[in-house]
Amino acid sequence: MSHDHNAIEALFALPFNDLLFRAHTVHRAHFDPNRVQRSTLLSIKTGGCSEDCGYCSQSARFDTSIERQPLLPLDDVVAAAQAAKDRGATRFCMGAAWRGPKDKDLDSVIEMVRAVKALDLETCVTLGQLREGQAEKLKAAGLDYYNHNLDTSRAHYGNIVHTHEYDDRLNTLRRVRDAGLHVCCGGIMGMGESRQDRAAFLAELAGLDPAPESVPLNMLVKIPGTPLSDVPVLEPLEFVRTIAVARIVMPTSYVRLSAGRQQMPDHLQALCFFAGANSIFHGDRLLTTANPDADHDQALFANLGIQPISGDAQTVPKARASG
Ligand code: SAM
Ligand code: DTB
Ligand code: SF4
């Protein structure tokens, strides 16, 4: 598939039914369309972040209602991971509000990765920018995925974040890939970007070589006190289009319907699954905001005839399992 952003813009411009039909056809060629993977998130260090990402509740620069929380004790993390596993999650993702981890912090996170891995869960962390050698240490501890989002187009990034650059994000993604970790990389829709920005953003993701195994697409959750708290809401069908285009340009990646589900009616989520989303966050919290509770999602899956992907399933599709 071409990563040229003009070709990607042409996909966005297709009639909605043509775009969805194409995306769903690609989806079926690579995945069971009735299976969805579930990951659970835990914020292991909350708030007080030095960065100024305009959407984020955890920046120290904005007056949000978040309570700061230092790095959680290992036992609390293990208990949360066990609870996530008992509810049916296959991956446990630990997020920290850092620009990047200090070596001492990384040692603590490594203990967490080992302990979560020992519960027979896939492991993911999102810790900010990594320095030389840090990704290798995480890999050696048994980490499966590192999440680091590009979040939007290069052109729009400077309107949202001023404390680091797009190329800093790309450098960390290169380190993660070179260490042999699976890459989880996506972004946020509804930050005042244009359709052209959404196309350019997807071109960046699809142009990573190889494309990320996991692509979280978040709908902005508006946080009072942040610069983006009153940006106009993105039209929901444009979010569905973005999922469909992501599916077409990254046919073997898991596309995750991420933040924003709490604000989405079930029929909109159903359309996102049809468009090619095949992964969600499971459990009633994201990092600092609410997510639908497990009972709600169970009822939604039952209604749609969707089965969760079980813990034993190979979650990287066969087409790229050697990568
Ligand atoms: N500090 C690390 C970093 O920036 O990479 C890790 C944590 S950060 C909270 C992880 C991702 O969460 C961001 O890149 C962004 O995509 C997403 N996110 C944060 N706040 C959000 C919001 N209000 N709405 C939607 N997504 C959000
Ligand atoms: C991602 O793309 N979305 C998740 C995960 N990666 C780390 C985080 C969503 C956070 C939503 C806002 C909050 O709960 O603070
Ligand atoms: Fe900090 Fe990450 Fe939030 Fe940016 S997105 S302010 S780096 S926690």
Side-chain angles (χ1 to χ4, degrees):
M1 180 64 214
S2 168
H3 306 143
D4 170 44
H5 71 90
N6 291 318
I8 296 183
E9 273 181 56
L11 290 173
F12 272 97
L14 284 172
F16 188 78
N17 283 338
D18 291 348
L19 174 60
L20 259 71
F21 180 71
R22 231 173 114 172
H24 191 71
T25 305
V26 170
H27 190 42
R28 276 184 178 262
H30 296 278
F31 292 97
D32 179 337
N34 303 312
R35 284 192 168 256
V36 169
Q37 187 273 338
R38 301 187 298 192
S39 299
T40 291
L41 272 170
L42 177 68
S43 183
I44 57 171
K45 184 270 173 183
T46 308
C49 184
S50 63
E51 304 307 283
D52 75 345
C53 312
Y55 48 80
C56 187
S57 63
Q58 304 198 68
S59 168
R61 295 163 191 253
F62 314 140
D63 189 12
T64 65
S65 58
I66 287 309
E67 239 180 83
R68 293 186 189 188
Q69 164 85 60
L71 196 60
L72 288 178
L74 180 62
D75 289 352
D76 292 11
V77 175
V78 172
Q82 183 64 55
K85 183 177 172 163
D86 294 344
R87 271 198 313 267
T90 58
R91 190 177 309 156
F92 192 66
C93 307
M94 296 166 269
W98 289 322
R99 175 184 168 92
K102 301 193 179 75
D103 284 335
K104 183 172 132 292
D105 296 327
L106 194 71
D107 290 342
S108 306
V109 173
I110 279 172
E111 289 308 306
M112 295 173 186
V113 169
R114 284 191 210 285
V116 172
K117 193 75 192 157
L119 298 177
D120 208 17
L121 280 163
E122 291 181 320
T123 51
C124 176
V125 297
T126 182
L127 313 173
Q129 295 174 42
L130 295 180
R131 282 178 283 112
E132 201 67 45
Q134 291 186 316
E136 285 75 10
K137 282 193 185 172
L138 288 164
K139 173 75 184 171
L143 186 70
D144 295 303
Y145 287 79
Y146 194 87
N147 165 256
H148 199 63
N149 289 343
L150 288 177
D151 279 316
T152 190
S153 68
R154 180 184 283 277
H156 194 51
Y157 199 73
N159 301 327
I160 306 293
V161 181
H162 313 93
T163 49
H164 58 260
E165 297 196 345
Y166 212 64
D167 283 330
D168 296 324
R169 307 296 288 181
L170 289 168
N171 285 340
T172 291
L173 289 166
R174 178 42 56 201
R175 290 191 170 132
V176 167
R177 184 55 88 193
D178 287 349
L181 292 164
H182 291 316
V183 172
C184 173
C185 181
I188 309 179
M189 306 307 119
M191 299 199 294
E193 77 284 351
S194 63
R195 179 180 272 186
Q196 204 180 358
D197 287 311
R198 286 185 285 279
F201 157 71
L202 291 179
E204 292 277 357
L205 291 182
L208 295 173
D209 189 17
E213 282 78 9
S214 167
V215 178
L217 296 180
N218 302 276
M219 181 76 122
L220 176 69
V221 178
K222 292 187 189 180
I223 311 282
T226 62
L228 295 184
S229 62
D230 54 13
V231 82
V233 179
L234 183 68
E235 202 263 301
L237 295 184
E238 183 68 9
F239 185 74
V240 178
R241 279 195 184 84
T242 307
I243 289 187
V245 175
R247 169 50 66 223
I248 294 168
V249 300
M250 293 174 279
T252 64
S253 301
Y254 276 78
V255 174
R256 184 185 311 271
L257 172 56
S258 302
R261 284 201 305 118
Q262 176 77 350
Q263 290 74 28
M264 289 179 198
D266 285 355
H267 53 267
L268 178 58
Q269 295 187 51
L271 213 42
C272 292
F273 294 131
F274 184 78
N278 59 350
S279 168
I280 58 167
F281 287 120
H282 189 47
D284 60 9
R285 294 296 303 152
L286 293 165
L287 291 173
T288 68
T289 65
N291 195 48
D293 63 36
D295 289 348
H296 183 100
D297 283 344
Q298 202 175 333
L300 175 62
F301 277 22
N303 186 357
L304 301 178
I306 288 176
Q307 302 283 332
I309 288 175
S310 79
D312 303 320
Q314 168 60 273
T315 52
V316 174
K318 281 204 186 69
R320 62 188 300 165
S322 59

